[in-house]
Amino acid sequence: MRGCSSGRRRRCKTQAMSLDKHEQRSAMRALRKRLAQVDPSAAGRAADHADRVPDGAFVALYRAMGSELDTDALAVALEAAGRHLCLPVVLERDAPMIFRAWSPGEPLELDAAGCPAPLPLAETVDPDLILTPLLAFDPFGGRLGQGGGYYDRTFAARPDAIRVGFAYAGQAVERLALEDHDVRLHGVLTETGYTAFP
């Protein structure tokens, strides 16, 4: 790489990868926003496939922000199927998230990352399955997140939990360049159905 001595190549390569990832995030945010605008019923159609989501008594959802695929219809479908729900809570920015029990309609407050989360009086639980928002995914379980690392830290701390992306089908890409800290998904749920990754 031009301008990189042999001793600095690794750092320069990491900086280049970060730049590529930054540019990719910007492009995928724009794409997700367009998908949200042209297909406002996608979340409801994705919820129609809730019965295909892997087993798990406690399912962690998220409260959608911006153009993230909304989980409201999915929450109702999962609860109707007898699943217990919970939401992630960021207590410290550099630590794994915890999860608190939650049902649709219960009050929320902003956590340390500014995301809606259950109140402290809600029971802390261990989810069997974690649904995560994303910017892009590939057929090998790769996931491009927002860049904060919250889900990767949480996935690493909870290796037994099933990891499922919740996204528009149009967010699929051919292949993502993953780094050492990136944790692969077990599957993805979109408006076209559930896909398990090898």
Side-chain angles (χ1 to χ4, degrees), residues 120-132:
L121 53 83
E123 179 187 4
T124 300
V125 298
D126 293 315
D128 305 296
L129 188 151
I130 302 173
L131 274 96
T132 174

Side-chain angles (χ1 to χ4, degrees), residues 125-166:
V125 298
D126 293 315
D128 305 296
L129 188 151
I130 302 173
L131 274 96
T132 174
L134 49 83
L135 291 172
F137 65 92
D138 69 23
F140 310 98
R143 169 186 173 269
L144 180 67
Q146 293 280 9
Y150 296 110
Y151 277 94
D152 283 319
R153 283 190 293 274
T154 303
F155 291 156
R158 298 174 178 273
D160 294 333
I162 300 169
R163 304 177 294 273
V164 175
F166 190 53

Side-chain angles (χ1 to χ4, degrees), residues 160-176:
D160 294 333
I162 300 169
R163 304 177 294 273
V164 175
F166 190 53
Y168 298 92
Q171 291 176 259
V173 297
E174 189 173 315
R175 186 109 197 201
L176 290 168

Side-chain angles (χ1 to χ4, degrees), residues 14-95:
T14 301
Q15 289 171 344
M17 285 176 64
S18 297
L19 181 62
D20 291 344
K21 223 170 186 180
H22 176 74
E23 291 170 349
Q24 192 173 23
R25 282 193 177 97
S26 294
M28 295 309 296
R29 280 191 191 100
L31 172 63
R32 188 177 66 183
K33 187 174 182 179
R34 286 195 303 274
L35 291 170
Q37 290 169 344
V38 301
D39 194 359
S41 66
R45 297 200 316 279
D48 291 339
H49 302 287
D51 59 332
R52 299 190 58 200
V53 172
D55 291 338
F58 262 101
V59 179
L61 300 176
Y62 62 87
R63 299 303 293 157
M65 299 179 69
S67 62
E68 291 174 346
L69 192 59
D70 193 89
T71 60
D72 286 350
L74 181 60
V76 171
L78 289 170
E79 199 168 57
R83 309 274 193 120
H84 301 288
L85 306 179
C86 59
L87 293 175
V89 183
V90 175
L91 296 179
E92 300 175 39
R93 287 187 168 269
D94 294 325

